[in-house]
């Protein structure tokens, strides 16, 4: 059994991260102070420094929290029982809708590339959303739903398209309209990679073939 001290330490950290997510979402990284984060969590600044080395470390924890929450939801959608194609498209649509969530928009899309640096942000994004996308594509290929193209290449290209779509939504004057356009476009792109079913082959009998030849 875990000690009360460990449980208290974990609950303290969670309270600080939850406070940080709310404040970073509302005010951004530059507009949020550690004093405000600690105060909102009803903790001391010393407690904050016990868990985090500074503001950037706290931001990265907030980023991880937001990503984990949304990726867990998407993972449940794409791994749900049912037709693999339908669940994959449902997951794709759900991801586009996630880009409308204020915490995801502000922390993951807007702030993270600046605060964490481009390379660190891309690395973190690959750890979360890219892995889920690659697994989904592999399942669809194995089930004969998608063309037999290289999994890694297809995943990289679609991941780039989704990332661009997320940025388009977050930077749009009308995010909901942009979301609908991105969703419609990305679904159409994926449908273009789907294996089309060949029409059933009709096998003629020899007599039918001779009869048709005479009519010619």
């Amino acid at each position: 059994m875990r000690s009360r001290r460990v449980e208290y330490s974990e609950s303290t950290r969670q309270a600080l991260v939850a406070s940080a997510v709310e404040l970073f979402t509302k005010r951004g990284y530059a507009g949020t102070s550690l004093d405000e984060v600690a105060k909102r969590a009803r903790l001391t600044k010393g407690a904050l420094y016990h868990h985090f080395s500074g503001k950037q470390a706290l931001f990265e924890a907030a980023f991880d929290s937001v990503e984990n929450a949304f990726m867990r939801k998407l993972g449940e959608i794409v791994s749900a029982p049912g037709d693999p194609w339908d669940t994959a498209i449902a997951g794709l649509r759900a991801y586009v809708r996630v880009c409308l969530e204020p915490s995801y928009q502000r922390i993951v899309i807007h702030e993270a590339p600046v605060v964490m640096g481009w390379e660190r942000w891309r690395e973190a994004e690959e750890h979360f959303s890219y892995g889920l996308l690659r697994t989904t594509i592999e399942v669809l290929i194995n089930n004969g739903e998608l063309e037999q193209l290289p999994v890694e290449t297809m995943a990289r290209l679609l991941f780039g398209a989704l990332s661009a779509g997320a940025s388009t939504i977050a930077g749009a004057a009308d995010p909901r309209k942009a979301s609908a356009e991105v969703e419609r476009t990305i679904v159409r792109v994926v449908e273009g990679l789907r294996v089309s079913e060949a029409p059933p082959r009709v096998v003629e009998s020899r007599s039918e073939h001779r009869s048709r030849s005479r009519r010619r």
Side-chain angles (χ1 to χ4, degrees), residues 191-202:
E191 285 176 343
L193 296 169
R194 193 177 188 186
V195 174
S196 58
E197 293 184 358
R201 186 180 176 188
V202 178

Side-chain angles (χ1 to χ4, degrees), residues 24 42 49 62 74 77 90 139 160 185 193 195 201 209:
F24 286 140
R42 297 182 179 180
Y49 276 114
L74 294 180
I77 292 171
V139 168
T185 303
L193 296 169
V195 174
R201 186 180 176 188
H209 178 72

Side-chain angles (χ1 to χ4, degrees), residues 135-157:
T135 299
T136 302
I137 288 172
E138 196 165 17
V139 168
L140 291 176
I141 289 177
N142 290 339
N143 278 275
E145 294 285 356
L146 288 179
E147 296 283 352
Q148 290 284 341
L149 296 170
V151 175
E152 188 72 17
T153 301
M154 192 185 299
R156 292 279 175 194
L157 291 174

Side-chain angles (χ1 to χ4, degrees), residues 6-16 43:
V6 171
E7 289 180 352
Y8 176 75
S9 178
E10 288 186 1
S11 65
T12 298
R13 188 180 189 282
Q14 289 170 4
L16 288 166
L43 294 164

Side-chain angles (χ1 to χ4, degrees), residues 38 44 46 77 84 90 113 140 171 173 177 179 190 198 200 206 209:
T44 65
I77 292 171
L140 291 176
K177 179 182 178 183
S179 174
V190 175
R206 290 185 180 180
H209 178 72

